[in-house]
Amino acid sequence: MYTIRIYGDPVLRVKGMKVPVEKIPEIKDIAEEMFRAMYAYEGIGLAAQQVGITEQIVVIDTHEEGSSPMVIINPDILAYSEEESSYEEGCLSFPDIRADIRRPVAIKLSYYDIHGNEHTEEFDGLLARVLQHEIDHINGTLFIDRMSPVSRMLLKKKLNKLKESHGDTP
Ligand code: NI
């Protein structure tokens, strides 16, 4: 099974390449393994960088009523709502670190599904938040970049500790 890359691992800062549309069917195994890793670590979203793959692939399962697991490939956020909200986020690449992050409450997104079909859809609520967090990952952006200066200052010691112990992950 894939291991989760932890803060300090340089792969988390690499922008993912787009998956060529004709190659989307070939990433089914990767997506399946990403789901396995995400469920094993009890996450609700996982980006390819977090398992060391620098391609634009995200898996999500919020477990909300009526929701189903999603594979999001080559996502592009086309629009953000003006309204923002604050919510306590965690990240599998930052064990034991949580912080309130402000983000727009809704987005308009274009993406490809695992069958290679293109979609343009609007999302809000928890799904919109998880999508924004994971799409940040595939662009090399981490939730610490979105924290308030105060949160980051308060977490500095913990963050440095993580970075020092995981910076050399192969
Ligand atoms: Ni994350």
Side-chain angles (χ1 to χ4, degrees):
M1 194 172 79
Y2 289 141
T3 48
I4 303 289
R5 303 304 182 93
I6 305 298
Y7 178 55
D9 190 318
V11 77
L12 292 174
R13 287 300 191 182
V14 179
K15 194 175 156 65
M17 290 174 295
K18 288 219 184 284
V19 181
V21 175
E22 68 278 9
K23 295 218 165 131
I24 288 177
E26 295 171 24
I27 62 166
K28 279 203 174 103
D29 291 348
I30 293 176
E32 207 174 310
E33 286 301 304
M34 284 174 67
F35 274 119
R36 277 178 51 153
M38 182 182 78
Y39 292 135
Y41 287 87
E42 297 180 343
I44 57 175
L46 188 71
Q49 271 81 351
Q50 294 180 278
V51 294
I53 297 170
T54 53
E55 291 187 65
Q56 296 188 14
I57 309 166
V58 164
V59 297
I60 290 181
D61 186 353
T62 60
H63 305 288
E64 287 181 303
E65 217 184 307
S67 74
S68 41
M70 293 178 82
V71 182
I72 302 282
I73 299 156
N74 302 345
D76 238 323
I77 299 179
L78 306 174
Y80 296 90
S81 64
E82 248 172 69
E83 191 192 342
E84 295 187 341
S85 69
S86 197
Y87 184 85
E88 193 184 63
E89 295 187 14
C91 179
L92 294 181
S93 296
F94 292 81
D96 300 322
I97 289 180
R98 304 191 68 85
D100 285 335
I101 310 284
R102 280 192 78 76
R103 297 187 190 269
V105 297
I107 55 169
K108 186 177 180 184
L109 185 74
S110 79
Y111 67 97
Y112 286 85
D113 66 23
I114 192 66
H115 308 293
N117 299 316
E118 195 177 11
H119 301 264
T120 301
E121 273 175 66
E122 284 177 26
F123 296 95
D124 61 11
L126 181 61
L127 193 49
R129 180 164 288 272
V130 179
L131 280 163
Q132 290 176 77
H133 178 114
E134 303 308 332
I135 292 167
D136 271 353
H137 269 301
I138 59 171
N139 288 305
T141 299
L142 300 171
F143 81 148
I144 50 171
D145 307 333
R146 308 260 185 217
M147 282 178 196
S148 70
V150 172
S151 295
R152 223 175 12 241
M153 186 261 288
L154 293 172
L155 289 168
K156 196 172 176 184
K157 217 168 165 186
K158 265 184 158 178
L159 288 170
N160 284 343
K161 219 167 161 185
L162 266 189
K163 200 171 191 173
E164 276 161 24
S165 48
H166 292 89
D168 55 356
T169 307

